Amino acid sequence: MKPTLIKDMLTSEPDGRTVTVCGWVRTKRDSKNLVFIQVNDGSSFANIQLTFDRTNPNNNANVNSIEEELKKVTTGASIKAEGILIPSPASGQAVEVTLVKLTVLGECPQDEYPLQKKNMSMEYLRTNAHLRARTNTFGAVYRVRNQMAFAVHSFFQERGFVYMNAPEITCSDCEGAGEMFQVTTLSMEKIAELAVKAGANGMKVEDAHKIVDYSKDFFGKKASLTVSGQLEAETFATALSRVYTFGPTFRAENSNTPRHLAEFWMIEPEMAFFDLDDDMDIQEEFVKYLLNWALTKCRADLEFFDKRIQSGLIENLTKVANADFVRITYTDAIKKLEEAADNGAKFDFKPYWGCDIATEHERYLTEKIFGCPVMVYNYPKEIKSFYMKQNEDGKTVKAVDVLVPGIGELIGGSEREENYDKLCAEIEKRGMDKSIYDWYLDLRKFGSVPHSGFGLGFERLIRYVTGMENIRDVIPYPRAPKLADF
């Protein structure tokens, strides 16, 4: 008999039908005549309870077989059970299954099983990333992550966007920061050997780069893992009007904070014929859609997070989902922060016009000044990326950040510069290699149009929705400095 998912079983009528339960044992309680087994298959937060009554004459036919299997039932063991779905006399659950047949599919030695501790720290579970999905916390995290991924696709598909897959290997740096993982088939050992020989022959340090011959590399030039699919998405937007990417991106930033990963997933829509106001409209709509989806589809898991991880989580998410987002220029936002500082607000970093607004400033704006989400736009061009459209003042660009209470920045976006000459000038001003961006500049030569887009880090979203403190705990296998074991 095909097993029924536990989430479906828990909402079924206890009509006495025979069901098959497959899953992993959470607990076993064995008294003189009664045995209770809590089983979870990952389909829901709740377990199903299996019961075995040694005094029930209906169990006589299989009692010996069940008793033998019960000896092998331990926490973590996988089982297959057949039984009768009946009403449960226990509080907090509507149904349970009385055992008719039990098979232990995979035993779990208790003296070796890493998940035996009652209070396991997040750090400890991170060292057992291959098993941590079996815990309540991480089972809930990954179910929410699954629902949020589905919600992302649903939002854009309902609005006529085309899903595209941006390349993960690129020769251009979208962010211009240079923190990229290099992709090469060249032998590092061979290059080191050549460097040693060259040094012995008197080669100067400043000429060391000449040792690396990229023409012999796989791609014939220097290539890296992408930090963003935005530039490629722009090429599709200027042909298909509205597109979005949703895939892995990489950043070689040597940071060990709870907010950084080396490998992360990005959601990056690009919209032709959208100006900055249109961009801000869809960003607000997107955030509200995602939060309402989570509050509706992930309620049981969010209740767990509200109780065990972050008190008040559901109330906070509900407020943001129902709020009107405040829109304020960067200049006015800085004025308000400076006024707050003058009136006694304590900041680690002093706010001033031209600074990159820090997380503490973002949270102060959303939590203290406005008490709701805030969209800050028109940033100084020096602190934003090269592709953002300049305003007529010559000092600012049409960039926007969506800030939410609790974490600060959630989304970053902008209207893109569609003027060929202005974009060329900005690339040259920043000392970037213009030849690498010839294909990107072609979009401004051949049928250029106003267009906008934004980026939302998927793990940042999951961290916000679940209340989890460390971003490494909302991705199945975190990649960070000195962390790539699984």
Side-chain angles (χ1 to χ4, degrees):
M1 184 185 297
K2 187 173 84 170
T4 302
L5 288 174
I6 289 174
K7 71 171 184 176
D8 297 327
M9 208 174 298
L10 292 171
T11 57
S12 298
E13 287 296 323
D15 51 11
R17 69 180 184 275
T18 300
V19 294
T20 299
V21 179
C22 289
W24 292 267
V25 174
R26 288 291 174 85
T27 62
K28 182 183 79 169
R29 182 161 53 91
D30 194 340
S31 61
K32 182 178 180 180
N33 295 320
L34 293 173
V35 181
F36 302 94
I37 304 173
Q38 294 285 334
V39 181
N40 191 283
D41 65 358
S43 63
S44 72
F45 181 82
N47 307 319
I48 190 76
Q49 179 169 274
L50 311 182
T51 62
F52 178 64
D53 185 352
R54 292 186 173 99
T55 65
N56 188 341
N58 295 327
N59 292 330
N60 289 342
N62 294 320
V63 64
N64 292 332
S65 172
I66 291 176
E67 289 287 6
E68 285 301 310
E69 292 300 295
L70 283 173
K71 294 176 183 177
K72 298 182 284 186
V73 172
T74 59
T75 298
S78 60
I79 66 170
K80 179 178 181 180
E82 293 181 16
I84 309 301
L85 190 67
I86 63 170
S88 176
S91 62
Q93 55 189 49
V95 299
E96 64 183 32
V97 176
T98 59
L99 274 177
V100 174
K101 186 177 180 181
L102 176 67
T103 303
V104 175
L105 301 174
E107 295 185 45
C108 187
Q110 293 304 280
D111 57 342
E112 299 177 30
Y113 189 43
L115 303 186
Q116 280 295 305
K117 298 179 181 179
K118 290 185 178 179
N119 295 310
M120 295 173 288
S121 69
M122 295 299 175
E123 290 78 8
Y124 174 78
L125 289 170
R126 230 170 276 143
T127 66
N128 290 278
H130 58 305
L131 295 172
R132 65 179 181 170
R134 297 188 187 185
T135 65
N136 286 335
T137 299
F138 287 96
V141 166
Y142 300 137
R143 283 190 295 272
V144 171
R145 185 182 172 102
N146 166 68
Q147 280 292 336
M148 288 295 92
F150 192 80
V152 167
H153 287 292
S154 295
F155 177 86
F156 290 118
Q157 293 295 324
E158 289 171 7
R159 288 156 181 78
F161 282 70
V162 176
Y163 175 48
M164 65 158 291
N165 303 111
E168 294 178 32
I169 299 175
T170 181
C171 293
S172 57
D173 180 2
C174 177
E175 300 299 326
E179 296 171 334
M180 303 177 75
F181 289 100
Q182 190 170 340
V183 176
T184 181
T185 55
L186 297 175
S187 168
M188 296 297 103
E189 291 79 6
K190 184 65 175 178
I191 292 173
E193 181 182 328
L194 292 173
V196 170
K197 292 179 179 178
N201 292 329
M203 176 177 279
K204 296 179 179 179
V205 173
E206 56 265 28
D207 294 326
H209 67 280
K210 297 177 181 178
I211 296 173
V212 183
D213 185 358
Y214 284 110
S215 66
K216 296 180 180 179
D217 205 352
F218 186 90
F219 295 106
K221 59 176 67 175
K222 189 174 182 179
S224 303
L225 294 177
T226 187
V227 298
S228 169
Q230 177 199 314
L231 304 189
E232 290 82 6
E234 286 187 56
T235 69
F236 272 61
T238 55
L240 303 177
S241 290
R242 300 180 189 180
V243 303
Y244 69 103
T245 72
F246 185 11
T249 52
F250 310 85
R251 182 168 293 154
E253 183 178 359
N254 190 14
S255 175
N256 274 298
T257 77
R259 298 180 289 109
H260 291 89
L261 287 169
E263 178 184 7
F264 50 97
W265 284 61
M266 284 294 293
I267 304 154
E268 297 178 292
E270 289 292 325
M271 298 80 66
F273 314 108
F274 270 48
D275 61 18
L276 183 62
D277 288 329
D278 300 322
D279 199 17
M280 289 193 284
D281 288 343
I282 198 168
Q283 288 175 40
E284 180 172 348
E285 186 182 0
F286 187 42
V287 171
K288 292 179 177 180
Y289 184 97
L290 293 175
L291 297 189
N292 278 311
W293 186 289
L295 289 163
T296 303
K297 306 284 188 179
C298 310
R299 194 73 185 192
D301 289 320
L302 291 190
E303 287 173 355
F304 165 78
F305 291 124
D306 197 311
K307 183 178 180 181
R308 298 291 184 87
I309 303 298
Q310 185 185 110
S311 179
L313 176 68
I314 291 177
E315 180 183 359
N316 294 336
L317 295 178
T318 302
K319 286 181 179 178
V320 172
N322 295 327
D324 291 326
F325 290 18
V326 168
R327 301 185 184 186
I328 185 173
T329 65
Y330 168 90
T331 298
D332 287 341
I334 291 296
K335 286 180 181 178
K336 288 187 176 295
L337 290 169
E338 288 176 331
E339 290 171 0
D342 291 340
N343 290 325
K346 303 296 183 182
F347 296 121
D348 292 332
F349 300 97
K350 182 180 179 180
Y352 62 91
W353 200 99
C355 76
D356 198 355
I357 297 179
T359 300
E360 61 176 338
H361 304 146
E362 295 167 347
R363 295 192 61 176
Y364 197 90
L365 286 167
T366 58
E367 297 168 25
K368 302 296 184 182
I369 295 179
F370 293 106
C372 67
V374 178
M375 306 180 84
V376 179
Y377 64 97
N378 287 353
Y379 278 79
K381 66 178 183 179
E382 285 77 11
I383 62 174
K384 289 297 182 179
S385 297
F386 73 96
Y387 50 74
M388 297 184 177
K389 184 175 179 63
Q390 295 186 28
N391 286 307
E392 293 181 0
D393 61 15
K395 299 188 300 181
T396 61
V397 290
K398 295 187 175 184
V400 59
D401 288 339
V402 179
L403 317 179
V404 293
I407 64 169
E409 183 188 344
L410 185 63
I411 288 177
S414 73
E415 186 173 340
R416 316 311 192 189
E417 181 56 72
E418 84 275 13
N419 182 281
Y420 177 82
D421 292 330
K422 289 182 179 179
L423 189 56
C424 285
E426 191 62 27
I427 288 174
E428 293 173 0
K429 178 182 176 182
R430 295 182 183 230
M432 302 164 64
D433 186 350
K434 181 173 173 291
S435 65
I436 293 176
Y437 298 91
D438 281 342
W439 62 273
Y440 184 65
L441 289 165
D442 275 351
L443 304 180
R444 279 74 181 170
K445 289 172 64 177
F446 310 122
S448 182
V449 297
H451 61 288
S452 301
F454 63 87
L456 168 59
F458 190 50
E459 284 71 33
R460 184 171 293 189
L461 169 68
I462 305 305
R463 181 170 170 247
Y464 180 55
V465 169
T466 61
M468 294 292 284
E469 183 177 348
N470 196 314
I471 200 168
R472 299 181 190 186
D473 296 327
V474 296
I475 191 169
Y477 294 99
R479 296 291 179 256
K482 307 297 187 295
L483 184 60
D485 298 326
F486 296 93

